[in-house]
Amino acid sequence: MDGGTDIEWEPHQIALLAGGPPGAVTVALVALHLLGAIENGPRRTLCAAGPEPEGLGPFEGAVLDCLHEPRTARELVRHPDVRLALALTRIPLAEGGLLGHPRLRPTRSARRRVEFWRQRHPLPTVGHGLTDDDTLLAVALHGDVALRLLLPRFALRTGLAAPGTAADGVRFSLGRGRFLRWRDAYEDSVSGDWGGTGHGDQSGGCGSGGGGSD
């Protein structure tokens, strides 16, 4: 992979096209992890660690702001501030013809473009020696399987990647269930029906050793 210089969108935007809101949040969490801005807590929660990194993008910043108290990844997707950030992220994608009405789902053009990017940037064969940009792009394009290959401990501690994800299609599971691209994630995001209740994982504070390298 070459850092994604041929792709005009940010990794979280690509992930939004490839896997809906779970994809975008997953990539944002990976970016914050690589910057050492978050750490793991009990019961697969995450929380902010230390000062905010310089040059943080608006979407990643919105996710980080919601982590001043411990939350799971699935709780983040439902958080009102993250939902607003997702709505703002959709605007340039919709203007570029990549999201269509009535439910702001990826258009045929978007699906073709993501598939082209996925073929141009296949899953790395090894889990080391990549730049942070390469890692983010791999996760954005390949979902759980890239997480388990490139950031196995982070994926395990946070529950971001479900074990045994099938290789057919890209999934961002957020640790429970599987979100098929082009369907459940967008319908759930627009309708607000994420199913079930929260994990109740906000008890206690975050422990040490979550941020930085995997």
Side-chain angles (χ1 to χ4, degrees):
M1 299 178 72
D2 61 7
T5 56
D6 62 323
I7 299 178
E8 64 268 32
W9 302 109
E10 296 294 326
H12 71 275
Q13 294 175 306
I14 299 168
L16 183 62
L17 293 174
V25 170
T26 295
V27 168
L29 290 173
V30 170
L32 294 170
H33 167 72
L34 294 173
L35 291 169
I38 56 175
E39 59 184 18
N40 304 113
R43 299 182 181 179
R44 297 181 174 180
T45 57
L46 302 109
C47 67
E52 179 175 320
E54 294 184 5
L56 199 63
F59 185 75
E60 289 82 2
V63 172
L64 184 60
D65 286 344
C66 296
L67 289 174
H68 290 298
E69 60 180 278
R71 300 182 193 277
T72 65
R74 293 184 72 87
E75 289 168 340
L76 279 173
V77 177
R78 292 190 296 238
H79 193 286
D81 291 348
V82 172
R83 292 171 72 90
L84 174 59
L86 286 165
L88 295 174
T89 300
R90 289 187 179 101
I91 292 175
L93 298 176
E95 290 175 343
L98 299 179
L99 295 176
H101 296 290
R103 303 181 70 88
L104 291 180
R105 299 167 75 176
T107 62
R108 183 176 301 176
S109 173
R111 295 194 293 270
R112 286 198 300 261
R113 191 174 305 190
V114 171
E115 188 58 35
F116 171 78
W117 292 334
R118 190 174 293 117
Q119 293 176 4
R120 188 179 179 105
H121 300 279
L123 186 71
T125 57
V126 295
H128 57 83
L130 300 178
T131 67
D132 288 355
D133 287 343
D134 283 338
T135 298
L136 289 172
L137 183 58
V139 173
L141 290 174
H142 300 283
D144 280 7
V145 64
L147 270 174
R148 293 199 309 272
L149 173 67
L150 305 178
L151 299 165
R153 285 182 290 179
F154 180 66
L156 176 64
R157 292 168 181 167
T158 59
L160 280 175
T165 300
D168 56 334
V170 175
R171 290 175 172 83
F172 294 88
S173 65
L174 296 187
R176 188 181 70 184
R178 292 172 183 172
F179 289 85
L180 295 174
R181 56 177 176 155
W182 324 134
R183 191 183 67 187
D184 293 341
Y186 278 89
E187 293 179 358
D188 290 345
S189 174
V190 175
S191 67
D193 179 14
W194 283 92
T197 59
H199 285 223
D201 292 346
Q202 297 184 24
S203 60
C206 280
S208 59
S213 63
D214 189 58

